[in-house]
């Protein structure tokens, strides 16, 4: 005879004593429902986006199957809905207010058109901030075709606004894997137009052109890459002697690395976690995998809100930095059972394995702040004994047979761009750096750059920083002739040797 057990106003019937014990182990809604193991929506079903407020979730036709034209009669683009263009224009105008450096670069160089004749194919996050960069490149004389480097981060209305002004954009939020490569291919492969510059984030576009269109690849004047992952892939190509064009590693330019990786993640990690899970950080046990610039930024923010943070590291120097900053350095397997939140930012793969996931406690939140979605072994979770439940946009609960659930954010993809936004000001720094790198490579005299990966010259790094100082009403001190001579410097910079670490 089954006995009844009141739980608040709900009455749940247990078939046997084990179920009752099972129930008390996870006293959450999850526990209650896991008895009748819910068959949940699979995460490949389409769902409407929360971030893009003009989306209509009832329109399920794939953008690939829709014939759309902009008001100029062009149909050389593929976006969710070209009618959203004026919403997108408003987003871009708002972004411009916080990207004054890029606008001032646009004004300074508009006359001489340093990118006249440049045919740039780009693969980045398509957001209002990127649009300001793309429109700057167009104002400087370039023709642009653009696609998304992340299947979730595209702002549909911004893509529409770009398509409206004649930029061939192939991107929408929530693309499938197949759509992703289809978009890249349509960007590169078009009649009567051949790219001579590549701007990439993550290396997927570079890889595609290299593999599928080697003749285009060989004729490109330069590649500009902005992510750790993409830069790693470029160095691999270079090492194998297969990089036949000069490439600019923007990721490791000081302005990009310190600001985009460190200061930006310091602000956006909390934003992404709050928006998706409403978590309170005080007293939570958090492990951050990797103590590079991104890891340092995340830890600073988490510690400030009272979280108890520990670090995993492979590099003894970064590990010692973490120790000096007051964090425990541990192996993931030693602490995984106690953790409330697990954050990866290593740029590596399989940092969080199925074994780790199996050992996590109920309700543990798992997310990734690295560019690539390889850090958490998400594929291993798509197995028949686990139930996936989509609880809100970009939040999945993965439920084990015993009722334990793990909260996975953005299916292991980049948290801040998939689940929240990134401060515009920081993107202004990265975008200005990208624009200068493109101008530099495009206009470099024959032979200045060999077939290799280069860092942005320090003078340009300093220039990017100086363009952003007016925002803060910051006043730089100038060296006197005597001081400059004493230090052995040019009064106008560069002010530090190349080996200086900021």
């Amino acid at each position: 005879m089954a006995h009844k057990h009141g739980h608040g106003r709900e009455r749940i019937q247990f078939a046997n004593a084990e179920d009752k014990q099972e129930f008390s182990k996870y006293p959450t809604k999850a526990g209650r429902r896991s008895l009748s193991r819910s068959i949940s929506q699979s995460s490949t079903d389409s769902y409407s986006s929360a971030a893009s407020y003009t989306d209509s979730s009832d329109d399920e036709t794939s953008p690939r199957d829709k014939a759309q034209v902009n008001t100029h009669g062009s149909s050389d683009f593929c976006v969710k809905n070209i009618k959203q263009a004026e919403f997108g224009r408003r987003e871009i105008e708002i972004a411009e207010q916080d990207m004054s450096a890029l606008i001032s670069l646009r004004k300074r160089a508009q006359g001489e058109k340093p990118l006249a004749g440049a045919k740039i194919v780009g693969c980045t996050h398509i957001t209002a901030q990127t649009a300001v960069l793309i429109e700057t490149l167009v104002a400087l004389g370039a023709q642009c075709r653009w696609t998304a480097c992340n299947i979730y981060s595209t702002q549909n209305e911004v893509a529409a606004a770009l398509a409206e002004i004649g930029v061939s954009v192939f991107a929408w939020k929530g693309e499938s894997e197949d759509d992703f490569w289809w978009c890249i291919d349509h960007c590169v492969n078009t009649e009567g137009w051949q790219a001579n510059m590549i701007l990439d984030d993550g290396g997927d576009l570079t890889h595609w052109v290299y593999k599928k269109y080697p003749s285009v690849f060989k004729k490109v004047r330069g590649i500009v890459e902005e992510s750790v992952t993409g830069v790693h892939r470029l160095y691999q190509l270079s090492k194998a002697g297969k990089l036949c064009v000069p490439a600019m590693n923007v990721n490791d330019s000081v302005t990009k690395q310190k600001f985009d990786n460190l200061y930006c993640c310091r602000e956006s990690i909390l934003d992404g976690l709050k928006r998706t899970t409403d978590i309170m950080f005080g007293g939570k046990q958090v492990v951050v995998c990797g103590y590079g610039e991104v890891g340092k930024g995340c830890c600073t923010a988490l510690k400030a809100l009272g979280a108890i943070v520990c670090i995993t590291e492979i590099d003894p120097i970064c590990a010692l930095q973490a120790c000096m900053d007051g964090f425990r350095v541990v192996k993931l397997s030693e602490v995984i059972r106690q953790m409330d939140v697990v954050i990866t930012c290593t740029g590596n793969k399989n940092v969080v394995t199925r074994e780790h996931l199996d050992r996590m406690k109920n309700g543990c939140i798992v997310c990734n702040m690295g560019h690539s979605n390889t850090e958490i072994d998400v594929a291993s979770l798509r197995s028949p004994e686990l139930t996936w439940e989509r609880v809100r946009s970009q939040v999945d609960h993965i439920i084990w047979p015993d009722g334990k659930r793990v909260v996975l954010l953005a299916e292991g993809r980049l948290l801040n761009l998939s689940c929240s936004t990134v401060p515009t000001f920081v993107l202004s720094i990265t975008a200005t750096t990208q624009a200068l790198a493109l101008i530099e490579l495009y206009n470099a005299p024959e032979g200045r750059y060999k077939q290799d990966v280069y860092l942005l010259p320090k003078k340009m790094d300093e220039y990017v920083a100086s363009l952003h100082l007016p925002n803060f009403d910051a006043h730089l001190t100038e060296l006197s002739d005597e001081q400059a001579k004493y230090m052995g410097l040019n009064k106008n910079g560069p002010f530090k040797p190349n080996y200086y670490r900021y």
Side-chain angles (χ1 to χ4, degrees):
M1 163 76 186
H3 57 274
K4 289 194 169 151
H5 169 81
H7 187 93
R9 278 174 316 189
E10 289 177 50
R11 297 175 73 75
I12 297 178
Q13 203 155 349
F14 291 95
N16 54 34
E18 280 134 62
D19 275 351
K20 185 173 179 194
Q21 199 183 346
E22 185 59 70
F23 175 74
S24 54
K25 210 156 88 188
Y26 301 116
T28 59
K29 276 192 189 149
R32 291 178 216 154
R33 278 222 305 275
S34 70
L35 302 177
S36 63
R37 231 168 134 249
S38 64
I39 308 303
S40 78
Q41 171 191 15
S42 92
S43 79
T44 51
D45 288 359
S46 61
Y47 36 88
S48 75
S49 104
S52 199
Y53 55 87
T54 51
D55 262 355
S56 56
S57 50
D58 52 351
D59 176 16
E60 289 311 331
T61 323
S62 163
R64 285 164 66 168
D65 304 330
K66 276 195 289 204
Q68 302 185 76
V69 286
N70 66 14
T71 54
H72 311 291
S74 165
S75 60
D76 186 16
F77 62 86
C78 188
V79 299
K80 178 89 177 181
N81 183 358
I82 190 70
K83 294 190 182 76
Q84 297 178 349
E86 57 189 89
F87 285 108
R89 177 54 48 201
R90 206 164 53 210
E91 292 281 312
I92 296 168
E93 283 163 5
I94 293 167
E96 281 176 356
Q97 293 164 14
D98 222 355
M99 300 184 86
S100 50
L102 208 50
I103 304 299
S104 70
L105 179 70
R106 195 188 288 185
K107 287 194 179 119
R108 286 181 197 194
Q110 221 158 357
E112 66 212 49
K113 296 257 187 286
L115 290 174
K119 292 180 174 168
I120 302 170
V121 57
C123 177
T124 62
H125 299 280
I126 297 182
T127 58
Q129 294 82 6
T130 316
V132 179
L133 168 63
I134 296 170
E135 293 187 346
T136 301
L137 300 175
V138 170
L140 301 185
Q143 291 177 17
C144 295
R145 295 177 71 82
W146 225 263
T147 183
C149 69
N150 179 297
I151 60 175
Y152 292 130
S153 64
T154 299
Q155 289 175 316
N156 286 330
E157 58 278 14
V158 170
L162 286 167
E164 175 54 44
I165 62 152
V167 176
S168 299
V169 175
F170 293 84
W172 56 93
K173 190 180 178 83
E175 296 167 10
S176 66
E177 187 89 5
D178 179 54
D179 291 334
F180 175 79
W181 295 110
W182 181 89
C183 286
I184 286 184
D185 197 64
H186 274 66
C187 240
V188 180
N189 184 15
T190 181
E191 266 185 56
W193 193 92
Q194 189 171 312
N196 55 21
M197 296 294 292
I198 291 175
L199 177 60
D200 207 355
D201 179 351
D204 286 325
L205 170 63
T206 304
H207 180 73
W208 189 259
V209 178
Y210 170 75
K211 278 270 188 275
K212 280 206 72 178
Y213 303 103
S215 60
V216 176
F217 191 75
K218 289 188 182 79
K219 291 196 181 111
V220 167
R221 284 203 203 178
I223 299 167
V224 176
E225 168 59 58
E226 72 152 326
S227 77
V228 176
T229 310
V231 164
H232 177 64
R233 292 167 83 173
L234 281 174
Y235 282 119
Q236 281 178 324
L237 269 184
S238 171
K239 219 185 218 159
K242 291 175 180 167
L243 186 66
C244 49
V245 288
M248 195 73 87
N249 163 2
V250 173
N251 178 69
D252 295 299
S253 66
V254 179
T255 34
K256 157 76 168 78
Q257 202 179 40
K258 277 283 184 253
F259 299 87
D260 199 342
N261 300 15
L262 178 89
Y263 299 116
C264 168
C265 294
R266 187 176 75 183
E267 302 205 8
S268 59
I269 177 69
L270 304 178
D271 188 15
L273 283 166
K274 286 269 191 216
R275 286 195 205 195
T276 46
T277 63
D278 308 309
I279 183 179
M280 176 139 184
F281 291 101
K284 287 286 188 297
Q285 296 275 354
V286 182
V287 60
V288 175
C289 304
Y291 201 66
E293 298 291 347
V294 174
K296 288 180 174 78
C298 291
C299 291
T300 309
L302 292 160
K303 187 179 185 178
L305 286 190
I308 301 157
V309 182
C310 53
I311 308 292
T312 72
E313 247 309 334
I314 55 162
D315 180 329
I317 298 174
C318 294
L320 188 56
Q321 282 181 310
C323 294
M324 289 292 175
D325 289 335
F327 300 109
R328 264 178 66 225
V329 177
V330 296
K331 285 185 174 171
L332 192 55
S333 54
E334 297 166 352
V335 297
I336 196 72
R337 280 190 193 285
Q338 291 88 51
M339 291 300 127
D340 298 304
V341 186
V342 179
I343 301 165
T344 55
C345 37
T346 65
N348 207 330
K349 65 187 243 185
N350 292 344
V351 177
V352 176
T353 63
R354 174 65 194 263
E355 194 188 341
H356 292 130
L357 291 152
D358 283 338
R359 292 178 59 213
M360 282 173 190
K361 71 178 186 189
N362 187 42
C364 182
I365 297 167
V366 188
C367 65
N368 168 42
M369 284 290 283
H371 174 85
S372 193
N373 62 338
T374 52
E375 305 209 16
I376 301 160
D377 185 6
V378 175
S380 71
L381 294 173
R382 299 197 188 278
S383 59
E385 79 280 9
L386 301 183
T387 307
W388 283 62
E389 206 170 79
R390 169 65 42 118
V391 292
R392 51 165 90 160
S393 176
Q394 306 294 0
V395 184
D396 287 296
H397 282 186
I398 293 141
I399 307 159
W400 267 250
D402 65 357
K404 172 188 100 165
R405 54 180 62 202
V406 162
V407 181
L408 178 67
L409 304 184
E411 296 181 36
R413 291 172 185 273
L414 190 54
L415 174 77
N416 55 8
L417 276 152
S418 305
C419 301
S420 64
T421 51
V422 175
T424 301
F425 184 73
V426 155
L427 293 170
S428 171
I429 295 172
T430 305
T432 309
T433 311
Q434 288 170 314
L436 286 170
L438 285 164
I439 292 168
E440 173 69 17
L441 279 178
Y442 184 68
N443 293 295
E446 193 75 34
R448 174 182 293 173
Y449 293 104
K450 311 272 186 298
Q451 298 165 345
D452 207 351
V453 186
Y454 290 86
L455 284 173
L456 199 69
K458 190 174 288 289
K459 192 95 179 79
M460 290 167 80
D461 242 339
E462 291 177 350
Y463 180 57
V464 171
S466 69
L467 284 173
H468 287 82
L469 289 174
N471 277 56
F472 303 98
D473 193 25
H475 303 235
L476 276 179
T477 306
E478 284 184 29
L479 290 173
S480 68
D481 291 339
E482 193 186 357
Q483 286 175 318
K485 193 174 167 198
Y486 176 75
M487 296 292 284
L489 292 173
N490 181 324
K491 275 170 84 162
N492 303 317
F495 297 99
K496 300 282 190 293
N498 271 338
Y499 51 80
Y500 180 82
R501 292 191 180 89
Y502 291 81

